[in-house]
Amino acid sequence: MIRTFLSLQWKEFKRSASFQKGIAIKILLIFAALYFGSFAILLGAFLFKILSEFFPEQDPITTANNYLIFWFLFDLVFRYFMQQMPVMNVKPLMIIPIKQKTIIHFLLGKTMVSFFNFLPLFIFIPFSIVLLVQGYSPVNVILWFLAIVAITYVLNFTNILANKSNTVFYIVLSVIAVLAGLEYLYINEYFDAFKVSEICGMVFNALYNYPFLVLIPIVLAAFLYYLNFDYLNKRFYLDDAISKKVKEVTTTDLSWMNRFGKLATFLKNDVRMIWRNKRPKQVLFMSGFFLFYGVIFFVQKQYNDMPGFLAFASIFVTAGFLFSFGQLVPSWDSEYYKMLMSQNIPYRKYLESKWYLMVLAVFISFLLSTPYIYFGWDKYAMIAAGASFNIGINSFVTLFGGALNRVPVKLNEKAKAFSNTQGFNPTQLLIALPKMLLPVIIFYIPYLIAGLNAGIISLALSGVVGLLFRNFFLKKIEQVYQKGKYKTIEAFGEN
C-alpha cells in the first residue's frame, strides 16, 4: 500500500501545472541539502575539538549538552517556517476500501523521512564517532545519540501540531520567548539567578550519564505521534472535508473607501477577507512581531560596528505585513480566483489594490516604530530609509514573486488538517533573497565610501526612484500575471 501511495504522489506531482518549475526547484533544493549536509558533517567532525579549545575547563560532552537547548529551539523555529506539512489529496481515497489509519500513518511517515530530521544526524553521528574514538563509554554515547534522535522526532511532531493548532503554536512560542529572554538577561548580567543553558544542560547531561533515561524522549515521541494520529483520525471524514461551516458574519461600513475609485472594490474585498478569516488574521497578527526585530540588534553594542546588520534589521521592522501577506498574492484569492478572472475587471487595478494595501501597512509600521528613537536618531533614520526601500522596491519585488507562486491558500482553519497551507514554498525563499540582500548592498557600498549618512541616503533614495518608476514596474508585473493567468487558474483548481 505504501508503494501505491508513493506512486500516486509521483503522478500528482508529474501531472501538476507547475511540474517543470517544481523539478527545477527540487534540483536546487537537493544541491542546498548537499551543501548544508556537508557543512553539518564537518561541524560534527570538528565539534569536539572546537569545544575543547573554547571551553578547556569543561568536558566537551558537558559543554555540548549545555548548549543543546539552543540547537533544539532553533530547530523548532526553523521547522515551523520551512518544513513541509503532511499533505495528500485524500478525498478520492475516502470512498474506496482503504483503511483510513493506513493513510494517516503514511502522512505522518512522510514527515519522519524529512531532511529536517536527517540534518541533526549529519552533526551528531560524526560527533558521536569522535567521542567513541576519544574513549568515552560506548553504551553512554550510543544511547545519548538515540535520545537526540528521539528528541528530534519530538520536535517534528510538535511542529505538526503547532501548524494545525493555534493553541499549541502560542504555547510553544511563549516557552521559546521565556527561555530566550531568561538567557539574554543572564548573559547581560541583569540578574544571575537563572541560566537556561546550565539548567537544561543538567537534563541533557542526565541523558548521557544515565543511559536508561533514553526511554523518556522515546516515549514522548511516541505519545506525540499518537496525538497527531488522533488529531487527523478524528477529522478524516468525507462530510467534514467537503462541508462548509456556516456562521453569521457581521458587516462593516467600508463606504469611506469609495474615494479610491475603481480600486475600492478590491480594497474592500481584501479588508473583509482579513477581518473574517482566521488565516489572514494570523498573518496580520504575526506581522506585528516584525516591529520588534530591531530590538534584537539595536540593544547589542557589538552591532554598532556592523552597520550592515543594522540595515538588515531596519528593513524587517516595517516589512512584516509586506513579507507575510504580500508573498501570497494572488494565493489569498485562490478559492474564488477563477470567478474573479472571469469578471470584466482590469488586472492592473487588481494589482494596484494589493500594492496600496502593502504600502499602507509599511507606512503604519513606520509610525508604530517611532519608539526606536530611544536608540538614537541614526537608528530611526535607518528604519525610515528601510521603509522607503520597502515601499519603492520591495513592494514591487513581492508582487512579482506572487506571479510565480501558485500555491493555493485555504482561508478557513479546518482545511489545514489535510492540505498544506503553511508549509515551505521554495519559490518564496528564492524571491525573498533579493528582498533581504539588495537593501544591505545598496546601503553598505556607499557606507564604505562616504560613511553612515551616505548609506542611509542611498537606501532612502532607492525607494524614491522605485516610486518614480511605479507605472513602469506595475505594467511589467501585470504582463507577467497576464501571461501566467491560465496556469494559475489551473493550479488553483487542482486543490
Side-chain angles (χ1 to χ4, degrees), residues 230-284:
D230 185 64
Y231 179 90
L232 296 177
N233 190 44
K234 288 181 178 178
R235 289 156 179 80
F236 198 95
Y237 296 100
L238 188 60
D239 55 348
D240 187 65
I242 64 177
S243 62
K244 299 292 184 181
K245 186 176 181 180
V246 179
K247 59 182 180 180
E248 186 177 349
V249 177
T250 57
T251 59
T252 305
D253 183 17
L254 299 176
S255 58
W256 59 273
M257 286 189 173
N258 292 333
R259 69 188 68 182
F260 293 102
K262 294 182 179 180
L263 296 178
T265 302
F266 301 108
L267 290 172
K268 289 179 182 179
N269 186 56
D270 286 333
V271 171
R272 291 191 183 104
M273 178 190 67
I274 295 172
W275 184 257
R276 294 175 179 176
N277 296 280
K278 291 185 177 181
R279 177 73 193 279
K281 278 185 180 179
Q282 292 171 4
V283 168
L284 181 64

Short mmCIF file of all heavy atoms in Angstrom, two decimals, residues 230-284:
data_model
loop_
_atom_site.label_atom_id
_atom_site.label_comp_id
_atom_site.label_asym_id
_atom_site.label_seq_id
_atom_site.Cartn_x
_atom_site.Cartn_y
_atom_site.Cartn_z
N ASP A 230 -4.30 10.85 16.32
CA ASP A 230 -5.66 11.04 16.83
C ASP A 230 -6.29 12.31 16.26
O ASP A 230 -7.48 12.32 15.93
CB ASP A 230 -5.61 11.10 18.36
CG ASP A 230 -7.00 11.19 18.98
OD1 ASP A 230 -7.77 10.23 18.84
OD2 ASP A 230 -7.30 12.23 19.60
N TYR A 231 -5.49 13.37 16.14
CA TYR A 231 -5.99 14.64 15.61
C TYR A 231 -6.49 14.45 14.17
O TYR A 231 -7.58 14.91 13.80
CB TYR A 231 -4.89 15.69 15.66
CG TYR A 231 -5.29 17.04 15.12
CD1 TYR A 231 -5.85 18.02 15.94
CD2 TYR A 231 -5.12 17.36 13.77
CE1 TYR A 231 -6.22 19.25 15.45
CE2 TYR A 231 -5.49 18.60 13.26
CZ TYR A 231 -6.04 19.53 14.11
OH TYR A 231 -6.41 20.75 13.61
N LEU A 232 -5.69 13.78 13.34
CA LEU A 232 -6.07 13.57 11.95
C LEU A 232 -7.19 12.54 11.83
O LEU A 232 -8.10 12.69 11.00
CB LEU A 232 -4.85 13.10 11.15
CG LEU A 232 -3.70 14.11 11.03
CD1 LEU A 232 -2.54 13.48 10.27
CD2 LEU A 232 -4.16 15.39 10.35
N ASN A 233 -7.15 11.51 12.65
CA ASN A 233 -8.14 10.44 12.56
C ASN A 233 -9.55 10.96 12.87
O ASN A 233 -10.52 10.55 12.24
CB ASN A 233 -7.77 9.32 13.53
CG ASN A 233 -8.61 8.08 13.33
OD1 ASN A 233 -8.85 7.66 12.20
ND2 ASN A 233 -9.07 7.50 14.42
N LYS A 234 -9.66 11.89 13.81
CA LYS A 234 -10.96 12.43 14.18
C LYS A 234 -11.52 13.37 13.11
O LYS A 234 -12.72 13.70 13.15
CB LYS A 234 -10.85 13.18 15.51
CG LYS A 234 -10.68 12.25 16.70
CD LYS A 234 -10.60 13.04 18.01
CE LYS A 234 -10.46 12.10 19.20
NZ LYS A 234 -10.34 12.85 20.47
N ARG A 235 -10.67 13.81 12.20
CA ARG A 235 -11.11 14.74 11.16
C ARG A 235 -11.14 14.08 9.78
O ARG A 235 -11.31 14.75 8.78
CB ARG A 235 -10.20 15.97 11.13
CG ARG A 235 -10.42 16.86 12.34
CD ARG A 235 -9.22 17.71 12.66
NE ARG A 235 -9.47 18.57 13.82
CZ ARG A 235 -9.42 18.16 15.08
NH1 ARG A 235 -9.10 16.90 15.35
NH2 ARG A 235 -9.68 18.98 16.08
N PHE A 236 -10.99 12.77 9.75
CA PHE A 236 -10.91 12.04 8.49
C PHE A 236 -12.30 11.55 8.10
O PHE A 236 -12.61 10.36 8.16
CB PHE A 236 -9.95 10.86 8.63
CG PHE A 236 -9.47 10.31 7.32
CD1 PHE A 236 -8.27 10.74 6.78
CD2 PHE A 236 -10.21 9.37 6.64
CE1 PHE A 236 -7.82 10.22 5.58
CE2 PHE A 236 -9.78 8.86 5.43
CZ PHE A 236 -8.58 9.28 4.90
N TYR A 237 -13.15 12.50 7.71
CA TYR A 237 -14.49 12.16 7.29
C TYR A 237 -14.83 12.97 6.05
O TYR A 237 -14.48 14.15 5.95
CB TYR A 237 -15.52 12.42 8.40
CG TYR A 237 -15.29 11.55 9.61
CD1 TYR A 237 -14.63 12.04 10.73
CD2 TYR A 237 -15.72 10.22 9.60
CE1 TYR A 237 -14.42 11.22 11.83
CE2 TYR A 237 -15.50 9.40 10.71
CZ TYR A 237 -14.85 9.90 11.82
OH TYR A 237 -14.63 9.10 12.90
N LEU A 238 -15.55 12.33 5.15
CA LEU A 238 -15.86 12.98 3.88
C LEU A 238 -16.72 14.22 4.09
O LEU A 238 -16.48 15.26 3.48
CB LEU A 238 -16.57 12.00 2.95
CG LEU A 238 -16.81 12.47 1.51
CD1 LEU A 238 -15.48 12.79 0.86
CD2 LEU A 238 -17.57 11.42 0.72
N ASP A 239 -17.72 14.12 4.96
CA ASP A 239 -18.58 15.29 5.18
C ASP A 239 -17.82 16.41 5.84
O ASP A 239 -18.06 17.59 5.61
CB ASP A 239 -19.80 14.91 6.03
CG ASP A 239 -19.40 14.25 7.34
OD1 ASP A 239 -18.22 13.88 7.48
OD2 ASP A 239 -20.28 14.09 8.22
N ASP A 240 -16.82 16.07 6.67
CA ASP A 240 -16.00 17.10 7.32
C ASP A 240 -15.07 17.75 6.32
O ASP A 240 -14.72 18.93 6.44
CB ASP A 240 -15.18 16.47 8.45
CG ASP A 240 -14.44 17.52 9.26
OD1 ASP A 240 -15.12 18.32 9.92
OD2 ASP A 240 -13.20 17.54 9.21
N ALA A 241 -14.65 17.00 5.29
CA ALA A 241 -13.70 17.53 4.31
C ALA A 241 -14.34 18.43 3.28
O ALA A 241 -13.71 19.33 2.75
CB ALA A 241 -12.99 16.37 3.60
N ILE A 242 -15.65 18.18 2.98
CA ILE A 242 -16.26 18.95 1.89
C ILE A 242 -17.32 19.93 2.38
O ILE A 242 -17.75 20.79 1.64
CB ILE A 242 -16.90 18.01 0.85
CG1 ILE A 242 -18.06 17.21 1.48
CG2 ILE A 242 -15.86 17.07 0.26
CD1 ILE A 242 -18.79 16.32 0.50
N SER A 243 -17.75 19.78 3.62
CA SER A 243 -18.81 20.65 4.12
C SER A 243 -18.26 22.04 4.43
O SER A 243 -17.10 22.20 4.77
CB SER A 243 -19.44 20.06 5.38
OG SER A 243 -18.47 19.96 6.40
N LYS A 244 -19.12 23.01 4.31
CA LYS A 244 -18.78 24.39 4.62
C LYS A 244 -19.50 24.80 5.90
O LYS A 244 -20.71 24.65 6.03
CB LYS A 244 -19.20 25.33 3.47
CG LYS A 244 -18.51 25.03 2.15
CD LYS A 244 -17.03 25.34 2.21
CE LYS A 244 -16.37 25.14 0.86
NZ LYS A 244 -14.93 25.41 0.89
N LYS A 245 -18.74 25.27 6.83
CA LYS A 245 -19.33 25.70 8.09
C LYS A 245 -19.97 27.07 7.90
O LYS A 245 -19.31 28.02 7.48
CB LYS A 245 -18.26 25.77 9.18
CG LYS A 245 -18.82 26.08 10.55
CD LYS A 245 -17.73 26.04 11.59
CE LYS A 245 -18.28 26.34 12.98
NZ LYS A 245 -17.22 26.31 14.01
N VAL A 246 -21.25 27.15 8.19
CA VAL A 246 -21.99 28.39 8.02
C VAL A 246 -22.02 29.14 9.34
O VAL A 246 -22.37 28.57 10.38
CB VAL A 246 -23.43 28.11 7.53
CG1 VAL A 246 -24.19 29.42 7.38
CG2 VAL A 246 -23.39 27.34 6.22
N LYS A 247 -21.65 30.37 9.30
CA LYS A 247 -21.71 31.17 10.51
C LYS A 247 -22.10 32.60 10.16
O LYS A 247 -21.90 33.07 9.04
CB LYS A 247 -20.36 31.16 11.25
CG LYS A 247 -19.20 31.68 10.45
CD LYS A 247 -17.92 31.57 11.28
CE LYS A 247 -16.72 32.08 10.48
NZ LYS A 247 -15.48 31.99 11.26
N GLU A 248 -22.66 33.27 11.11
CA GLU A 248 -23.13 34.64 10.90
C GLU A 248 -21.95 35.59 10.77
O GLU A 248 -20.99 35.52 11.53
CB GLU A 248 -24.00 35.05 12.09
CG GLU A 248 -24.66 36.40 11.90
CD GLU A 248 -25.57 36.74 13.06
OE1 GLU A 248 -25.82 35.85 13.89
OE2 GLU A 248 -26.01 37.90 13.14
N VAL A 249 -22.01 36.45 9.78
CA VAL A 249 -20.94 37.41 9.51
C VAL A 249 -21.46 38.81 9.75
O VAL A 249 -22.53 39.18 9.23
CB VAL A 249 -20.43 37.28 8.06
CG1 VAL A 249 -19.37 38.33 7.79
CG2 VAL A 249 -19.88 35.88 7.81
N THR A 250 -20.74 39.57 10.52
CA THR A 250 -21.14 40.95 10.76
C THR A 250 -20.58 41.85 9.66
O THR A 250 -19.44 41.68 9.23
CB THR A 250 -20.60 41.43 12.12
OG1 THR A 250 -19.17 41.27 12.13
CG2 THR A 250 -21.20 40.62 13.25
N THR A 251 -21.40 42.75 9.19
CA THR A 251 -20.99 43.65 8.12
C THR A 251 -20.33 44.89 8.71
O THR A 251 -20.61 45.30 9.84
CB THR A 251 -22.19 44.06 7.27
OG1 THR A 251 -23.15 44.70 8.12
CG2 THR A 251 -22.83 42.84 6.61
N THR A 252 -19.44 45.45 7.94
CA THR A 252 -18.71 46.65 8.37
C THR A 252 -18.87 47.71 7.29
O THR A 252 -18.76 47.41 6.10
CB THR A 252 -17.22 46.35 8.58
OG1 THR A 252 -17.10 45.26 9.49
CG2 THR A 252 -16.50 47.56 9.12
N ASP A 253 -19.10 48.92 7.71
CA ASP A 253 -19.26 50.01 6.76
C ASP A 253 -17.90 50.44 6.22
O ASP A 253 -17.07 51.00 6.94
CB ASP A 253 -19.95 51.20 7.43
CG ASP A 253 -20.21 52.34 6.44
OD1 ASP A 253 -20.16 52.08 5.23
OD2 ASP A 253 -20.45 53.47 6.90
N LEU A 254 -17.66 50.13 4.96
CA LEU A 254 -16.40 50.49 4.31
C LEU A 254 -16.62 51.51 3.20
O LEU A 254 -15.83 51.61 2.26
CB LEU A 254 -15.73 49.23 3.73
CG LEU A 254 -15.37 48.13 4.74
CD1 LEU A 254 -14.82 46.91 4.02
CD2 LEU A 254 -14.35 48.65 5.75
N SER A 255 -17.70 52.28 3.33
CA SER A 255 -18.02 53.24 2.27
C SER A 255 -16.96 54.33 2.14
O SER A 255 -16.81 54.94 1.07
CB SER A 255 -19.38 53.89 2.55
OG SER A 255 -19.39 54.53 3.83
N TRP A 256 -16.18 54.54 3.20
CA TRP A 256 -15.13 55.57 3.14
C TRP A 256 -14.05 55.21 2.12
O TRP A 256 -13.29 56.08 1.68
CB TRP A 256 -14.51 55.77 4.51
CG TRP A 256 -13.90 54.51 5.09
CD1 TRP A 256 -14.54 53.56 5.83
CD2 TRP A 256 -12.54 54.08 4.96
NE1 TRP A 256 -13.66 52.56 6.17
CE2 TRP A 256 -12.43 52.86 5.67
CE3 TRP A 256 -11.42 54.61 4.34
CZ2 TRP A 256 -11.24 52.15 5.76
CZ3 TRP A 256 -10.22 53.92 4.43
CH2 TRP A 256 -10.14 52.70 5.12
N MET A 257 -13.98 53.93 1.73
CA MET A 257 -13.00 53.52 0.73
C MET A 257 -13.41 53.86 -0.70
O MET A 257 -12.62 53.70 -1.63
CB MET A 257 -12.76 52.00 0.82
CG MET A 257 -11.94 51.57 2.01
SD MET A 257 -11.48 49.82 1.90
CE MET A 257 -10.37 49.70 3.31
N ASN A 258 -14.65 54.34 -0.87
CA ASN A 258 -15.11 54.67 -2.22
C ASN A 258 -14.29 55.78 -2.86
O ASN A 258 -14.29 55.94 -4.09
CB ASN A 258 -16.59 55.08 -2.19
CG ASN A 258 -17.49 53.91 -1.83
OD1 ASN A 258 -17.15 52.75 -2.08
ND2 ASN A 258 -18.65 54.20 -1.24
N ARG A 259 -13.56 56.53 -2.03
CA ARG A 259 -12.73 57.62 -2.56
C ARG A 259 -11.60 57.10 -3.43
O ARG A 259 -10.98 57.85 -4.19
CB ARG A 259 -12.16 58.43 -1.41
CG ARG A 259 -11.11 57.70 -0.57
CD ARG A 259 -10.73 58.49 0.66
NE ARG A 259 -11.85 58.56 1.61
CZ ARG A 259 -11.79 59.23 2.75
NH1 ARG A 259 -10.69 59.90 3.08
NH2 ARG A 259 -12.82 59.25 3.57
N PHE A 260 -11.30 55.78 -3.33
CA PHE A 260 -10.23 55.21 -4.14
C PHE A 260 -10.70 54.80 -5.54
O PHE A 260 -9.94 54.22 -6.31
CB PHE A 260 -9.63 53.98 -3.43
CG PHE A 260 -8.91 54.32 -2.17
CD1 PHE A 260 -9.50 54.10 -0.93
CD2 PHE A 260 -7.63 54.86 -2.20
CE1 PHE A 260 -8.84 54.41 0.25
CE2 PHE A 260 -6.97 55.18 -1.02
CZ PHE A 260 -7.57 54.96 0.20
N GLY A 261 -11.95 55.09 -5.85
CA GLY A 261 -12.45 54.84 -7.20
C GLY A 261 -12.56 53.36 -7.52
O GLY A 261 -13.11 52.57 -6.74
N LYS A 262 -12.01 52.96 -8.67
CA LYS A 262 -12.12 51.56 -9.12
C LYS A 262 -11.35 50.60 -8.21
O LYS A 262 -11.60 49.40 -8.20
CB LYS A 262 -11.61 51.44 -10.55
CG LYS A 262 -12.47 52.17 -11.58
CD LYS A 262 -11.95 51.97 -12.99
CE LYS A 262 -12.83 52.67 -14.00
NZ LYS A 262 -12.33 52.50 -15.40
N LEU A 263 -10.40 51.14 -7.45
CA LEU A 263 -9.64 50.29 -6.54
C LEU A 263 -10.44 49.90 -5.31
O LEU A 263 -10.10 48.94 -4.61
CB LEU A 263 -8.35 51.00 -6.09
CG LEU A 263 -7.31 51.31 -7.16
CD1 LEU A 263 -6.14 52.06 -6.52
CD2 LEU A 263 -6.80 50.03 -7.81
N ALA A 264 -11.52 50.66 -5.04
CA ALA A 264 -12.27 50.47 -3.80
C ALA A 264 -12.83 49.05 -3.67
O ALA A 264 -12.80 48.46 -2.59
CB ALA A 264 -13.40 51.49 -3.72
N THR A 265 -13.32 48.50 -4.78
CA THR A 265 -13.91 47.15 -4.74
C THR A 265 -12.90 46.13 -4.27
O THR A 265 -13.19 45.28 -3.41
CB THR A 265 -14.43 46.76 -6.13
OG1 THR A 265 -15.40 47.72 -6.57
CG2 THR A 265 -15.07 45.37 -6.09
N PHE A 266 -11.68 46.20 -4.79
CA PHE A 266 -10.64 45.23 -4.42
C PHE A 266 -10.16 45.46 -2.99
O PHE A 266 -9.92 44.51 -2.24
CB PHE A 266 -9.46 45.32 -5.38
CG PHE A 266 -9.84 45.07 -6.82
CD1 PHE A 266 -9.87 46.09 -7.74
CD2 PHE A 266 -10.16 43.79 -7.24
CE1 PHE A 266 -10.22 45.86 -9.05
CE2 PHE A 266 -10.50 43.55 -8.56
CZ PHE A 266 -10.54 44.57 -9.46
N LEU A 267 -10.01 46.72 -2.60
CA LEU A 267 -9.57 47.03 -1.25
C LEU A 267 -10.59 46.56 -0.22
O LEU A 267 -10.22 45.98 0.81
CB LEU A 267 -9.33 48.54 -1.11
CG LEU A 267 -8.12 49.10 -1.88
CD1 LEU A 267 -8.10 50.62 -1.80
CD2 LEU A 267 -6.82 48.54 -1.31
N LYS A 268 -11.86 46.79 -0.49
CA LYS A 268 -12.91 46.32 0.43
C LYS A 268 -12.88 44.80 0.54
O LYS A 268 -13.04 44.23 1.63
CB LYS A 268 -14.28 46.77 -0.08
CG LYS A 268 -14.56 48.26 0.05
CD LYS A 268 -15.93 48.58 -0.52
CE LYS A 268 -16.22 50.08 -0.44
NZ LYS A 268 -17.55 50.41 -1.02
N ASN A 269 -12.68 44.14 -0.59
CA ASN A 269 -12.63 42.68 -0.59
C ASN A 269 -11.49 42.15 0.28
O ASN A 269 -11.66 41.19 1.05
CB ASN A 269 -12.47 42.18 -2.03
CG ASN A 269 -12.56 40.66 -2.12
OD1 ASN A 269 -13.53 40.06 -1.70
ND2 ASN A 269 -11.53 40.05 -2.69
N ASP A 270 -10.31 42.79 0.18
CA ASP A 270 -9.16 42.36 0.98
C ASP A 270 -9.37 42.63 2.46
O ASP A 270 -9.02 41.80 3.31
CB ASP A 270 -7.89 43.07 0.50
CG ASP A 270 -7.39 42.52 -0.83
OD1 ASP A 270 -7.66 41.34 -1.11
OD2 ASP A 270 -6.74 43.27 -1.57
N VAL A 271 -9.94 43.79 2.79
CA VAL A 271 -10.19 44.12 4.20
C VAL A 271 -11.18 43.14 4.80
O VAL A 271 -11.00 42.65 5.93
CB VAL A 271 -10.70 45.57 4.32
CG1 VAL A 271 -11.17 45.85 5.74
CG2 VAL A 271 -9.61 46.56 3.92
N ARG A 272 -12.25 42.82 4.07
CA ARG A 272 -13.23 41.85 4.57
C ARG A 272 -12.60 40.47 4.72
O ARG A 272 -12.90 39.74 5.68
CB ARG A 272 -14.42 41.79 3.62
CG ARG A 272 -15.28 43.05 3.60
CD ARG A 272 -16.57 42.81 2.84
NE ARG A 272 -17.37 44.02 2.75
CZ ARG A 272 -17.48 44.76 1.65
NH1 ARG A 272 -16.83 44.41 0.55
NH2 ARG A 272 -18.22 45.86 1.64
N MET A 273 -11.75 40.10 3.78
CA MET A 273 -11.10 38.79 3.85
C MET A 273 -10.24 38.69 5.11
O MET A 273 -10.27 37.68 5.82
CB MET A 273 -10.23 38.58 2.61
CG MET A 273 -9.47 37.26 2.62
SD MET A 273 -8.24 37.17 1.31
CE MET A 273 -7.07 38.43 1.85
N ILE A 274 -9.47 39.74 5.39
CA ILE A 274 -8.61 39.73 6.57
C ILE A 274 -9.45 39.72 7.84
O ILE A 274 -9.13 39.03 8.82
CB ILE A 274 -7.66 40.95 6.55
CG1 ILE A 274 -6.70 40.85 5.36
CG2 ILE A 274 -6.89 41.07 7.85
CD1 ILE A 274 -5.86 42.09 5.16
N TRP A 275 -10.54 40.45 7.84
CA TRP A 275 -11.36 40.59 9.03
C TRP A 275 -12.15 39.33 9.35
O TRP A 275 -12.36 38.99 10.52
CB TRP A 275 -12.33 41.77 8.83
CG TRP A 275 -13.17 42.08 10.05
CD1 TRP A 275 -14.47 41.77 10.26
CD2 TRP A 275 -12.72 42.75 11.23
NE1 TRP A 275 -14.90 42.21 11.48
CE2 TRP A 275 -13.83 42.82 12.11
CE3 TRP A 275 -11.50 43.30 11.62
CZ2 TRP A 275 -13.75 43.42 13.35
CZ3 TRP A 275 -11.43 43.90 12.87
CH2 TRP A 275 -12.54 43.95 13.71
N ARG A 276 -12.54 38.57 8.31
CA ARG A 276 -13.48 37.46 8.51
C ARG A 276 -12.81 36.08 8.57
O ARG A 276 -13.46 35.11 8.94
CB ARG A 276 -14.51 37.45 7.38
CG ARG A 276 -15.44 38.65 7.37
CD ARG A 276 -16.34 38.64 6.17
NE ARG A 276 -17.26 39.78 6.14
CZ ARG A 276 -18.11 40.05 5.17
NH1 ARG A 276 -18.15 39.25 4.11
NH2 ARG A 276 -18.89 41.10 5.22
N ASN A 277 -11.56 35.95 8.17
CA ASN A 277 -10.93 34.64 8.07
C ASN A 277 -9.75 34.53 9.02
O ASN A 277 -9.01 35.48 9.24
CB ASN A 277 -10.47 34.37 6.64
CG ASN A 277 -11.64 34.30 5.67
OD1 ASN A 277 -12.31 33.30 5.56
ND2 ASN A 277 -11.87 35.40 4.96
N LYS A 278 -9.55 33.33 9.56
CA LYS A 278 -8.54 33.13 10.59
C LYS A 278 -7.12 33.19 10.03
O LYS A 278 -6.22 33.76 10.66
CB LYS A 278 -8.77 31.78 11.27
CG LYS A 278 -10.02 31.75 12.13
CD LYS A 278 -10.14 30.46 12.89
CE LYS A 278 -11.38 30.49 13.80
NZ LYS A 278 -11.53 29.24 14.57
N ARG A 279 -6.91 32.60 8.85
CA ARG A 279 -5.54 32.58 8.32
C ARG A 279 -5.01 33.99 8.05
O ARG A 279 -3.90 34.33 8.48
CB ARG A 279 -5.50 31.73 7.04
CG ARG A 279 -4.15 31.70 6.35
CD ARG A 279 -3.16 30.84 7.12
NE ARG A 279 -1.80 31.05 6.63
CZ ARG A 279 -1.30 30.47 5.56
NH1 ARG A 279 -2.04 29.63 4.85
NH2 ARG A 279 -0.06 30.70 5.19
N PRO A 280 -5.76 34.87 7.36
CA PRO A 280 -5.27 36.25 7.19
C PRO A 280 -5.10 36.99 8.51
O PRO A 280 -4.18 37.80 8.65
CB PRO A 280 -6.35 36.91 6.32
CG PRO A 280 -7.02 35.78 5.62
CD PRO A 280 -6.99 34.64 6.59
N LYS A 281 -5.99 36.71 9.47
CA LYS A 281 -5.85 37.34 10.79
C LYS A 281 -4.54 36.92 11.45
O LYS A 281 -3.87 37.73 12.09
CB LYS A 281 -7.03 36.96 11.68
CG LYS A 281 -8.29 37.79 11.47
CD LYS A 281 -9.34 37.41 12.49
CE LYS A 281 -10.60 38.24 12.30
NZ LYS A 281 -11.65 37.85 13.27
N GLN A 282 -4.19 35.64 11.30
CA GLN A 282 -2.94 35.15 11.87
C GLN A 282 -1.74 35.87 11.25
O GLN A 282 -0.80 36.24 11.94
CB GLN A 282 -2.82 33.64 11.67
CG GLN A 282 -3.80 32.82 12.46
CD GLN A 282 -3.79 31.36 12.07
OE1 GLN A 282 -3.00 30.93 11.24
NE2 GLN A 282 -4.69 30.58 12.63
N VAL A 283 -1.79 36.03 9.93
CA VAL A 283 -0.70 36.71 9.22
C VAL A 283 -0.59 38.15 9.70
O VAL A 283 0.51 38.67 9.92
CB VAL A 283 -0.94 36.65 7.70
CG1 VAL A 283 0.00 37.59 6.97
CG2 VAL A 283 -0.75 35.22 7.20
N LEU A 284 -1.74 38.82 9.85
CA LEU A 284 -1.74 40.20 10.33
C LEU A 284 -1.16 40.27 11.74
O LEU A 284 -0.36 41.17 12.05
CB LEU A 284 -3.16 40.76 10.31
CG LEU A 284 -3.33 42.21 10.76
CD1 LEU A 284 -2.59 43.16 9.83
CD2 LEU A 284 -4.81 42.58 10.83
#
